[in-house]
Amino acid sequence: MHIERVGSGPDLVLLHGWAMHGGVFAPLVERLRDRCTLHVVDLPGHGGSRDSDVPLRLDACAAAIAGQVPQGATWCGWSLGGLIALHAAQHGVSMRALAMLCATPCFVRKDDWRWGMSPEIFRDFAEGLRSDWRGTLDRFLALEAFGSDRAKEELRHLRDELFARGEPATSVLADGLELLETSDLRPGLPSLALPSLWIGGRRDRLVDPRAMQAAVELTPDAAIEVVDHAGHAPFLTHAEVVATALGRILP
């Protein structure tokens, strides 16, 4: 797997979301590189890891990343990357702290999880991947930016980054949607044995900050910060706020 290393100081691992690559974190990297060593991951099938033979599964990704980054690092996962980081934390990967960035343990609404996304949204995106995958990705990016007070700026950045490191494998896009739809890591939250910080966007239309609050209430040694006026990618539009929040869980 491709992992770019930037900066010096305490180790911070960054995991991107569905269909993107590590380059999307550029505004955050720029603000943190002078105070920590960033390990910016391209997940399997994405960016520089497009030809990786690691399957896009929680266990496989967590193990592969853990084998390439220092023990005791802080891990930060955005959206889909948050699921992978949380799975790693729940299954004994050595890390100092965990940051969940616009991510929850369960993305889909259930009878006992009212703040998740509608299952129909995932089915629509899965169908769209089969009929018009480029158009489907563009609709997803628009949904990520929707609600932000800088939606046009955020959408432009996401579109610019989407294929900046090549096109993601369409089979991996389907695998990622399946992970988002089927994963439910809530049972492991009460036994999470490390500090965690959950950073949400007040106007996020994909991950309701109330879902993140519900996760925090299940998790020991957990805190939440919600960025006002931000959508699903606050590290693009409010990078300084996110960097400051992350600084509180770095050594």
Side-chain angles (χ1 to χ4, degrees):
M1 289 174 60
H2 176 78
I3 300 179
E4 181 182 7
R5 291 165 180 84
V6 182
S8 60
D11 295 295
L12 176 63
V13 180
L14 296 177
L15 307 180
H16 63 81
W18 184 71
M20 296 303 298
H21 54 78
V24 75
F25 287 120
L28 193 58
V29 170
E30 186 62 29
R31 285 162 176 80
L32 289 172
R33 62 187 302 160
D34 290 337
R35 64 166 304 173
C36 61
T37 301
L38 297 122
H39 304 263
V40 188
V41 177
D42 282 355
L43 294 174
H46 301 75
S49 299
R50 192 183 191 283
D51 297 324
S52 171
D53 59 2
V54 177
L56 191 63
R57 298 197 312 262
L58 298 183
D59 54 353
C61 287
I65 295 164
Q68 292 183 240
V69 302
Q71 293 188 4
T74 296
W75 287 38
C76 173
W78 171 48
S79 199
L80 173 62
L83 277 178
I84 296 169
L86 179 57
H87 177 91
Q90 291 178 340
H91 288 80
V93 169
S94 173
M95 62 178 76
R96 182 184 184 279
L98 169 70
M100 297 286 282
L101 184 53
C102 296
T104 79
C106 181
F107 279 75
V108 176
R109 185 173 64 239
K110 300 179 182 294
D111 291 341
D112 61 346
W113 190 248
R114 61 183 298 195
W115 305 120
M117 292 173 61
S118 165
E120 287 76 19
I121 292 177
F122 286 96
R123 286 195 284 270
D124 287 346
F125 277 119
E127 177 59 33
L129 283 180
R130 291 189 287 269
S131 59
D132 177 15
W133 70 273
R134 287 176 177 270
T136 298
L137 288 185
D138 197 63
R139 287 193 294 115
F140 185 79
L141 298 187
L143 191 58
E144 286 187 314
F146 185 77
S148 169
D149 63 348
R150 303 178 202 169
K152 290 183 179 179
E153 172 191 339
E154 187 170 327
L155 181 56
R156 182 172 61 251
H157 188 103
L158 289 168
R159 283 173 170 164
D160 288 347
E161 285 293 338
L162 182 60
F163 297 142
R165 296 186 181 179
E167 297 178 354
T170 53
S171 60
V172 172
L173 293 176
D175 291 343
L177 276 184
E178 184 178 3
L179 273 184
L180 289 168
E181 183 179 5
T182 61
S183 298
D184 187 352
L185 305 184
R186 289 178 295 163
L189 292 181
S191 58
L192 194 64
L194 77 169
S196 63
L197 175 64
W198 303 64
I199 305 172
R202 181 81 64 190
R203 299 178 177 178
D204 193 341
R205 296 300 186 268
L206 289 172
V207 175
D208 193 315
R210 290 172 292 188
M212 302 186 73
Q213 179 62 50
V216 166
E217 291 170 2
L218 295 171
T219 309
D221 200 5
I224 186 168
E225 178 159 338
V226 179
V227 183
D228 287 333
H229 311 297
H232 189 60
F235 56 88
L236 296 180
T237 55
H238 301 76
E240 194 63 45
V241 176
V242 174
T244 299
L246 289 172
R248 290 197 285 273
I249 60 170
L250 291 169

